[in-house]
């Protein structure tokens, strides 16, 4: 039982909380900004999801252990959870989301996860005082320490203050220094999260070989977090409406082919033929920043989206962004237009037949939303999957195709029953078509928060997916207003 003075303190704390709540406005007095939304998203990722993910894998490991026929230690589960966010990158209907906002959001994502790793390193440095005379150290870990001393001589001199036998503490300190250098862009930081994970696995292997049963679990948790969140935290996914993409391509094409082109007046077949031409997809035909002033504000914004994606990948982390969604997708040309924009900004290369293989640094994801578009989704995708140019693009992306299905707009368009029936049939047709053409299909379920927007319990939705075949990834949205 708590002593009387502690009970009084607890009572005071409760009354303080109630007083603050009673004197707090029920609603905000100012309009939310994109920065506010980004901050809230990062709050949930940092305070809840980051620490919850290792527990999820631990629970799954417990559930599958009885299925293991032998008594050997359970193998390391492959990392199958990934997180993404539209906040700060989705500009469909939100003029406040600019390329500058997306760039700042990407930096915030990277800053949060690197600071998290730094704090974890500091915690482990304080705790890991194991001496090598009690817990032997592997040769591989010793070799990595010698490399650390060569590459980080200043840190090596500073670490002489530690006991010489505290090898694990020294290794963690070198890793902490590298993380600081990574955050500031200095050498020799970690060039990628995989390098950081490799150092953690060296420690894990040495600890286990030395006989550690419990301390090694802290390293296991951190490895799982690095495998899941990398140096990017959650991938930012760009989204734009097909009409804005159409407008941008219509303005850019005459400047690139150096002749008048009325793209909007062309038939669907003519648009596809034009966007496949080597002269249009030539890698030398980049749109330079100094040429942007000739185009409308909308076209410039679309162009800067792709340039921002390229900048994030080159200057921050390739995994920070790599998806471009096309809202209200209707025709194959909507998707080919995005590939053309990727080519003109250096994100896609070698789509035209040549001796070299194609390179592509993002996935283009069609979003089918209305009842009519859901009905035609198989026809649109099959047209693309039969296209040799598009097949080259898919090969560069590992043969995988993501397709998003819009629950909210389907309900608005046709009502709850018609929408769900259309979604059900579209999934079946897409899965069978992808199987015929050898495509690894990922279905992205764009569920909203309320029932009329496809909302409900996510675990029930996953179990109820009739065409979510075993072994195939599944992608589901969780809206900001219900994420809590």
């Amino acid at each position: 039982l708590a002593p009387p003075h502690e009970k009084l303190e607890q009572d005071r704390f409760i009354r303080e909380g109630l007083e603050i709540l009673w004197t707090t406005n029920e609603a905000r007095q100012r309009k939310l900004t994109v920065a506010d939304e980004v901050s809230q998203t990062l709050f949930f990722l940092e305070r809840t999801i980051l620490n919850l993910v290792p527990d999820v894998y631990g629970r799954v490991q417990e559930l599958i252990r009885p299925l293991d026929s032998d008594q050997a230690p359970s193998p390391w589960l492959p990392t199958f959870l990934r997180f993404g966010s539209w906040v700060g990158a989705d500009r469909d209907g939100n003029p406040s989301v600019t390329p500058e906002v997306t760039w700042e959001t990407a930096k915030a994502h990277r800053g949060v996860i690197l600071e998290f790793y730094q704090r974890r390193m500091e915690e482990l440095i304080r705790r890991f005082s194991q001496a090598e005379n009690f817990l032997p150290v592997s040769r591989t870990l010793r070799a990595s320490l010698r490399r650390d001393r060569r590459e980080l001589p200043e840190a090596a001199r500073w670490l002489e203050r530690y006991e010489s036998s505290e090898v694990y503490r020294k290794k963690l300190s070198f890793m902490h220094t590298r993380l600081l250098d990574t955050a500031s862009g200095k050498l020799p930081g970690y060039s990628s999260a995989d390098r950081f994970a490799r150092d953690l696995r060296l420690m894990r292997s040495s600890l286990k070989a030395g006989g550690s049963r419990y301390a090694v679990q802290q390293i296991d948790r951190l490895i799982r977090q690095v495998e899941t969140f990398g140096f990017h935290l959650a991938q930012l996914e760009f989204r734009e409406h097909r009409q804005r993409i159409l407008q941008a391509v219509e303005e850019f094409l005459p400047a690139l082919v150096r002749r008048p082109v009325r793209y909007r007046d062309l038939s669907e077949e003519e648009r596809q033929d034009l966007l496949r031409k080597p002269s249009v997809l030539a890698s030398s035909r980049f749109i330079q920043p100094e040429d942007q002033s000739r185009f409308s504000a909308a076209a410039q914004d679309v162009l800067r989206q792709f340039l921002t994606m390229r900048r994030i990948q080159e200057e921050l982390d390739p995994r920070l962004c790599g998806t471009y969604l096309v809202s209200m997708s209707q025709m194959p040309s909507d998707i080919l237009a995005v590939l053309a924009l990727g080519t003109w900004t250096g994100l896609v290369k070698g789509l035209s037949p040549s001796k070299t293989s194609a390179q592509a640094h993002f996935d283009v994801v069609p979003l089918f939303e209305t009842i009519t578009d859901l009905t035609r989704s198989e026809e649109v995708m099959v047209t693309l999957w039969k296209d040799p140019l598009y097949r080259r693009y898919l090969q560069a992306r590992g043969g995988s195709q993501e397709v998003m299905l819009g629950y909210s707009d389907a309900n608005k368009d046709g009502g709850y029953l018609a929408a769900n029936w259309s979604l059900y049939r579209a999934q079946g047709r897409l899965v069978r078509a992808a199987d015929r053409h050898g495509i690894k299909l990922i279905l992205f379920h764009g569920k909203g928060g309320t029932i009329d927007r496809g909302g409900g319990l996510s675990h029930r939705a996953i179990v109820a997916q009739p065409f979510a075949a075993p072994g195939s990834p599944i992608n589901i949205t969780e809206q900001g207003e219900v994420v809590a």
Side-chain angles (χ1 to χ4, degrees):
L1 295 176
H5 71 276
E6 287 189 12
K7 288 184 178 181
L8 287 172
E9 181 62 23
Q10 290 168 2
D11 182 74
R12 188 203 65 77
F13 182 76
I14 292 170
R15 291 174 183 276
E16 175 192 293
L18 289 171
E19 178 189 277
I20 291 171
L21 286 173
W22 284 333
T23 55
T24 299
N25 283 325
E26 291 185 16
R28 292 176 181 268
Q29 302 300 299
R30 65 177 182 86
K31 186 178 179 181
L32 279 173
T33 66
V34 179
D36 293 324
E37 294 182 65
V38 171
S39 178
Q40 184 182 36
T41 302
L42 293 177
F43 174 86
F44 283 112
L45 284 164
E46 185 177 11
R47 298 295 182 90
T48 302
I49 296 174
L50 266 169
N51 286 310
L52 185 63
V53 161
D55 297 334
V56 171
Y57 283 95
R59 180 65 178 138
V60 173
Q61 195 84 57
E62 290 175 9
L63 291 170
I64 66 174
R65 187 172 289 121
L67 305 177
D68 196 355
S69 57
D70 57 33
Q71 299 302 312
S74 299
W76 181 263
L77 277 177
T79 297
F80 54 83
L81 286 172
R82 295 285 184 270
F83 293 87
S85 174
W86 286 6
V87 182
D90 175 16
R91 55 256 306 140
D92 183 14
N94 190 348
S96 298
V97 179
T98 63
E100 291 76 19
V101 166
T102 304
W103 170 252
E104 293 300 323
T105 302
K107 289 197 298 182
H109 274 235
R110 184 171 168 87
V112 164
I113 192 61
L114 287 175
E115 287 176 12
F116 172 81
Y117 294 146
Q118 290 163 24
R119 289 195 302 271
R120 288 294 292 126
M121 287 289 103
E122 290 161 9
E123 293 168 7
L124 291 173
I125 289 167
R126 285 193 293 270
R127 297 179 63 182
F128 272 42
S129 56
Q130 303 97 320
E132 62 177 324
N133 48 301
F134 288 110
L135 191 69
V137 177
S138 69
R139 292 181 179 179
T140 312
L141 187 60
R142 288 186 184 280
S144 75
L145 276 166
R146 289 194 292 271
R147 185 188 71 245
D148 289 336
R149 291 190 188 97
R150 289 194 305 271
E151 296 180 359
L152 298 162
E154 187 175 338
R157 286 192 297 271
W158 179 77
L159 290 174
E160 291 301 322
R161 68 192 183 99
Y162 285 146
E163 291 282 342
S164 60
S165 61
E166 295 177 352
V167 177
Y168 290 103
R169 178 170 275 169
K170 289 187 176 183
K171 179 60 183 177
L172 288 164
S173 298
F174 278 124
M175 294 166 68
H176 181 259
T177 301
R178 288 185 187 275
L179 284 171
L180 292 174
D181 288 346
T182 303
S184 61
K186 291 169 55 179
L187 294 175
Y190 286 111
S191 59
S192 68
D194 292 337
R195 299 273 182 159
F196 180 39
R198 186 173 66 184
D199 270 353
L200 289 170
R201 292 190 192 99
L202 281 178
M203 283 199 64
R204 178 179 187 268
S205 177
S206 181
L207 284 165
K208 287 181 72 70
S212 172
R213 294 176 57 190
Y214 300 105
V216 72
Q217 293 175 15
Q218 292 297 320
I219 304 299
D220 285 346
R221 289 182 63 85
L222 189 50
I223 290 172
R224 185 65 73 186
Q225 288 163 330
V226 176
E227 288 184 353
T228 304
F229 302 101
F231 285 166
H232 65 288
L233 186 59
Q235 177 180 275
L236 288 172
E237 299 188 348
F238 288 67
R239 185 171 73 136
E240 184 57 275
H241 197 283
R242 68 177 293 269
Q243 287 293 344
R244 297 251 298 178
I245 294 167
L246 189 152
Q247 179 181 346
V249 171
E250 185 176 46
E251 292 187 37
F252 296 151
L253 272 172
L256 290 166
V257 300
R258 297 183 177 87
R259 61 179 175 83
V261 178
R262 297 182 62 84
Y263 182 76
R264 199 179 293 265
D265 296 336
L266 299 178
S267 67
E268 173 61 17
E269 290 73 17
E270 290 171 328
R271 290 182 184 182
Q272 292 181 38
D273 289 341
L274 178 59
L275 293 172
R276 292 191 193 102
K277 289 184 180 296
S279 59
V280 172
L281 297 174
S283 59
S284 60
R285 294 187 180 276
F286 294 160
I287 300 174
Q288 302 300 328
E290 58 269 19
D291 298 330
Q292 294 181 25
S293 59
R294 294 187 284 165
F295 308 115
S296 69
Q300 289 184 52
D301 181 69
V302 171
L303 177 63
R304 286 164 56 226
Q305 292 172 29
F306 286 84
L307 294 173
T308 299
M309 188 187 301
R310 180 179 172 183
R311 183 186 178 193
I312 290 171
Q313 291 185 358
E314 292 176 350
E315 298 184 24
L316 298 178
D317 192 289
R319 292 175 64 188
L320 247 170
C321 62
T323 300
Y324 196 97
L325 293 114
V326 184
S327 294
M328 289 294 175
S329 295
Q330 295 178 0
M331 302 290 179
S333 63
D334 298 337
I335 310 306
L336 295 176
V338 175
L339 292 188
L341 285 162
T343 301
W344 302 335
T345 50
L347 284 163
V348 179
K349 298 177 183 178
L351 284 187
S352 299
S354 64
K355 294 180 181 179
T356 58
S357 58
Q359 298 177 28
H361 298 285
F362 71 96
D363 295 313
V364 55
V365 179
L367 169 50
F368 299 105
E369 303 186 74
T370 67
I371 302 296
T372 301
D373 295 339
L374 286 166
T375 303
R376 295 189 64 252
S377 59
E378 178 195 10
E379 178 187 341
V380 171
M381 298 315 300
V382 168
T383 300
L384 290 167
W385 293 339
K386 287 181 177 179
D387 185 348
L389 180 142
Y390 194 78
R391 295 287 298 203
R392 281 177 62 82
Y393 159 74
L394 283 184
Q395 288 171 4
R397 299 300 296 171
S400 178
Q401 171 73 66
E402 187 171 352
V403 175
M404 185 170 182
L405 308 170
Y407 285 67
S408 177
D409 279 282
N411 279 324
K412 293 175 190 173
D413 184 38
Y416 184 79
L417 181 60
N420 279 275
W421 178 240
S422 297
L423 287 159
Y424 172 85
R425 296 188 67 194
Q427 290 175 61
R429 289 194 295 262
L430 286 167
V431 167
R432 287 188 286 267
D435 187 58
R436 289 196 308 270
H437 291 86
I439 304 296
K440 292 183 286 187
L441 182 66
I442 301 172
L443 289 175
F444 187 174
H445 299 269
K447 292 177 172 290
T450 57
I451 294 297
D452 63 328
R453 301 188 71 187
L457 296 175
S458 293
H459 66 278
R460 288 187 180 176
I462 293 170
V463 173
Q465 296 304 328
F467 301 104
S472 180
I474 187 170
N475 201 346
I476 296 180
T477 54
E478 192 71 67
Q479 282 202 318
E481 63 263 31
V482 296
V483 71

